[in-house]
Amino acid sequence: MVTKGNVFDPNCPTRVILDRIGDKWTVLVVLLLRDGPLRFTELRDGIGRIAPKVLTQTLRRMERDGLVSREVFAEIPPRVVYTLTPMGASLIDPISVLTTWAETHMPAITKAQTQYDAV
Amino acid sequence: MVTKGNVFDPNCPTRVILDRIGDKWTVLVVLLLRDGPLRFTELRDGIGRIAPKVLTQTLRRMERDGLVSREVFAEIPPRVVYTLTPMGASLIDPISVLTTWAETHMPAITKAQTQYDAV
DNA sequence: GTAGCCAGTTACCAATAGATACCGTTGGCG
DNA sequence: CGCCAACGGTATCTATTGGTAACTGGCTAC
């Protein structure tokens, strides 16, 4: 009763998820928030090189999907804190599996690329 | 001692992998090839709605990364067969983890989206 | 003869990602 | 008083990418 295998149906909702995970920024945000809530600028600086517009888009999408929660404090200067929801936190494991795979196979991939390009 | 955590370095090779996984077509190709080699049109028809150009791009990239191998038979009509390499096959597990997560949490995500949009 | 299969390629276009500059509010500083 | 910085973004513009539609060449089946 699992999977039902209709990943291949373009309307399959699984596609939506894969698109989210696939978004490189989403993964980084999840990993950054793993150790606790962060503010907008902390996320921006933690990610390194991301346009604020893109970070905003990413966070809004994640908020809409119920992966992060957004708390606004009406202070001056303003303060906005992003936190992983339980569902967002449940993504950490799948993502870890992926990053582990990536780190394990990175050398092989680089080698394959070099060989391919040499031809 | 795992991960070294430099996923946040834009030059980190892990990013490259995540970009590949993130590519929605790559995941589908891996899942389709799980049960054995397929030809170009079989992949195209299996995926459903994909432009041949895009499928070609995807397959070339995967070949370059060493995830699939491409075998050309000099026949008429031409025959090209794509097969998962061992490294490509090793991606099945991480991908399964993801799709399982996706299927498990899909209802919650849909609900979160509906709530968000209602506001 | 013409229509179609196979594995793509080419030309083109729309949507998106991203870089850069800017916004209002307030507090601190000279 | 004038000036700048901090914060969490928006506004605007451009580059890249994803995607569609049409075409190729050699053959075969109708």
Side-chain angles (χ1 to χ4, degrees), chain B residues 13 15 23 33 59 66 86:
Chain B
R15 289 270 183 101
D23 180 32
L33 290 181
L59 289 170

Side-chain angles (χ1 to χ4, degrees), chain B residues 1-41:
Chain B
M1 42 224 53
V2 235
T3 67
K4 291 186 52 190
N6 54 355
V7 197
F8 305 112
D9 176 2
N11 302 328
C12 175
T14 309
R15 289 270 183 101
V16 181
I17 315 291
L18 291 177
D19 284 354
R20 291 298 175 281
I21 316 275
D23 180 32
K24 60 183 166 190
W25 306 122
T26 299
V27 173
L28 294 178
V29 168
V30 170
L31 291 177
L32 276 172
L33 290 181
R34 178 174 45 181
D35 299 326
L38 291 177
R39 308 176 57 173
F40 188 85
T41 40

Side-chain angles (χ1 to χ4, degrees), chain A residues 75-87:
Chain A
E75 305 171 355
I76 299 295
R79 192 156 63 94
V80 179
V81 170
Y82 292 93
T83 314
L84 276 189
T85 63
M87 183 157 68

Side-chain angles (χ1 to χ4, degrees), chain A residues 39 41 60 70 78-80 82:
Chain A
R39 309 174 58 170
T41 39
R60 287 288 136 77
R70 180 169 179 273
R79 192 156 63 94
V80 179
Y82 292 93

Side-chain angles (χ1 to χ4, degrees), chain A residues 103-116:
Chain A
E103 282 159 9
T104 307
H105 294 274
M106 194 60 225
I109 289 181
T110 307
K111 191 172 153 232
Q113 288 176 350
T114 311
Q115 278 181 8
Y116 186 93

